[in-house]
Amino acid sequence: MGSYQTGFSYATGALPERWLSRTGWYASKGQGAEVFGDLAAFVDRDTTTNDRTLVVTTSGGDVLYRSPSLGLQQPQAVEPVLDRVRQNGREFVTFFQIGLPAQPGTGGGTGTPVAQLIVVDETGAASVVDDDVSHYRPRSTQDGGRALSFTSTDGSLEAQSGVAAGPDALDFMRVLDAETAQLERIPDLEGQQWLARIDGVDVYRAPRGATDPTTGQPVAIAGTREWSTTFHDHPSGSLTFGPTFMSTRQLDGTCEILDLRTGEPLIFEGAARGCAHPISVRVPSGSASSPNGELLLMHWSDEQGVDAQWVVDLTTGEQKKIDPASGFLPSTVSDAGDVYGGDAAGDRTGYLRFPDQMQPRFADGGRDPPAVINGQGLAMFAYEDLPTYFAVPVP
């Protein structure tokens, strides 16, 4: 189906040496791009008509899939949304777009928006969701950490960026089952509010208003259909999520971090009060977790108050600390344990390999670290003002 194996001059001077090969291709800036499985996905724009379509390629740039065009009017269309989704350990990308058809009588007729929602799995197989999605607005998956959910709208284009219908409206929210490519009603759990679906697990919490009988502090219950826990319901927020876990704040100032599938606690080595957090990434479109969600870049302080950054394998529990004295600030981890980042000044790109080579090596010069890398070495470089570039490493 063709190939996108073309480069551009900026990439040659900006990529770390490992990716200075001829196998590279780029997507137009601002349209969205992802790496998932052994594939790349991006939103392609026709330079003549401004029409947008989803393109999925192999790690070598060969095109596996291009979505059908909706033939939307420009500018009477909303910027398309490309998201990465993890569900039950599998990886997907989703593509949503909505706008007015350029040809009268297309879809719902002149002046009536049409929309499409497409799900592509890690093999490149694509499914178009059969439901009419023109009355729904997507909510971000937060870098693949949550299922793609939707809030209902009045069907107008304005509602895609404005206020959606209220929670009392019929079918106010839907959630996408990526494995079946179907929109589902939010599963009810009596007396609980749905928060998110994370790696296929629905998470709920109790409404606000309860207090601890001893301290008078606000508390609430959160969990899944299989288990629940009580936490300090602080106004500034007490719940955070990782790829497969939930972290709660307790009344005594400690943290309880629980595996979403089992409800069992996760222990992070030497973390003061049990509190550990995913790092804040420093590169555009960067991620604290590997694309498959198994490796996570985290930081926590020990009992002496020394903060360090760690690489954690959520499947085996293995944890390795990055020496704080090295000055290395990680920003990306691959499925295979390649960790890229840089120094605090941003002058050098650094690299280490989890779990065997935890001492970072630095390269002089302002090379750009990749925003994401998969297990096969396919990397994505997301530049602030330039196209998104994909590359495979030099053998």
Side-chain angles (χ1 to χ4, degrees), residues 15 26 31 50 59 71-72 80 107 137-138 205 235 281 323 337 365 383 395:
L15 298 184
Y26 63 93
Q31 305 306 311
N50 210 31
S59 60
L72 301 179
R137 183 180 70 195
R205 60 154 291 159
V281 297
D323 182 4
Y383 304 120

Side-chain angles (χ1 to χ4, degrees), residues 77 85 97 101 154-155 248 257-258 272 309 368:
V85 178
Q97 68 171 336
D154 59 9
T248 67
I257 303 175
L258 304 171
Q309 306 197 61
D368 291 332

Side-chain angles (χ1 to χ4, degrees), residues 46-390:
D46 187 294
T47 56
T48 302
T49 66
N50 210 31
D51 192 30
R52 282 76 178 274
T53 53
L54 170 66
V55 174
V56 178
T57 78
T58 67
S59 60
D62 293 317
V63 177
L64 291 177
Y65 173 77
R66 182 185 291 273
S67 66
S69 171
L70 286 184
L72 301 179
Q73 291 183 31
Q74 304 295 337
Q76 298 300 318
V78 178
E79 284 293 318
V81 178
L82 182 68
D83 273 300
R84 189 169 77 247
V85 178
R86 287 188 294 269
Q87 182 172 320
N88 298 322
R90 298 182 61 193
E91 295 178 69
F92 304 84
V93 293
T94 63
F95 173 67
F96 174 86
Q97 68 171 336
I98 184 172
L100 297 180
Q103 297 297 323
T106 304
T110 304
T112 302
V114 294
Q116 68 179 181
L117 175 60
I118 297 171
V119 183
V120 184
D121 69 16
E122 64 269 70
T123 71
S127 301
V128 179
V129 175
D130 291 332
D131 303 72
D132 178 7
V133 293
S134 62
H135 283 70
Y136 290 94
R137 183 180 70 195
R139 304 171 70 186
S140 172
T141 66
Q142 298 187 11
D143 195 35
R146 304 186 180 204
L148 187 66
S149 59
F150 294 79
T151 51
S152 64
T153 74
D154 59 9
S156 67
L157 294 186
E158 291 79 7
Q160 292 294 317
S161 58
V163 179
D168 295 329
L170 182 65
D171 295 332
F172 170 63
M173 289 194 67
R174 292 287 184 96
V175 63
L176 174 69
D177 184 326
E179 292 179 316
T180 64
Q182 294 181 335
L183 288 184
E184 300 179 344
R185 290 182 172 85
I186 300 299
D188 290 330
L189 186 61
E190 185 175 356
Q192 303 288 302
Q193 298 171 343
W194 184 83
L195 290 178
R197 178 176 292 177
I198 299 176
D199 196 28
V201 179
D202 288 306
V203 185
Y204 302 83
R205 60 154 291 159
R208 297 184 183 275
T211 58
D212 178 73
T214 302
T215 65
Q217 293 294 311
V219 294
I221 294 174
T224 71
R225 291 182 175 276
E226 307 300 327
W227 59 268
S228 63
T229 186
T230 301
F231 66 96
H232 180 200
D233 195 14
H234 196 276
S236 64
S238 300
L239 296 176
T240 57
F241 297 97
T244 58
F245 63 81
M246 175 177 71
S247 177
T248 67
R249 182 188 299 188
Q250 301 298 302
L251 286 172
D252 60 3
T254 62
C255 298
E256 186 178 50
I257 303 175
L258 304 171
D259 183 283
L260 283 171
R261 295 196 178 277
T262 66
E264 294 297 317
L266 301 179
I267 307 301
F268 295 96
E269 184 180 328
R273 300 180 304 281
C275 298
H277 315 277
I279 69 164
S280 298
V281 297
R282 301 183 304 125
V283 297
S285 303
S287 174
S289 68
S290 59
N292 63 12
E294 294 179 1
L295 300 181
L296 191 61
L297 302 175
M298 300 191 70
H299 72 94
W300 59 80
S301 297
D302 60 21
E303 296 294 347
Q304 287 71 46
V306 178
D307 188 78
Q309 306 197 61
W310 295 68
V311 185
V312 177
D313 188 327
L314 294 173
T315 59
T316 66
E318 186 173 14
Q319 305 170 21
K320 292 283 188 176
K321 181 168 69 173
I322 301 171
D323 182 4
S326 70
F328 178 67
L329 299 177
S331 58
T332 305
V333 58
S334 78
D335 294 342
D338 301 293
V339 179
Y340 279 83
D343 60 10
D347 296 329
R348 298 184 298 166
T349 299
Y351 165 84
L352 60 82
R353 173 84 175 196
F354 170 85
D356 301 321
Q357 186 248 311
M358 294 300 296
Q359 187 62 35
R361 299 194 301 265
F362 288 96
D364 292 328
R367 304 284 181 148
D368 291 332
V372 63
I373 325 166
N374 71 359
Q376 292 73 30
L378 174 62
M380 182 177 84
F381 297 83
Y383 304 120
E384 183 175 356
D385 298 313
L386 292 165
T388 297
Y389 190 82
F390 299 93

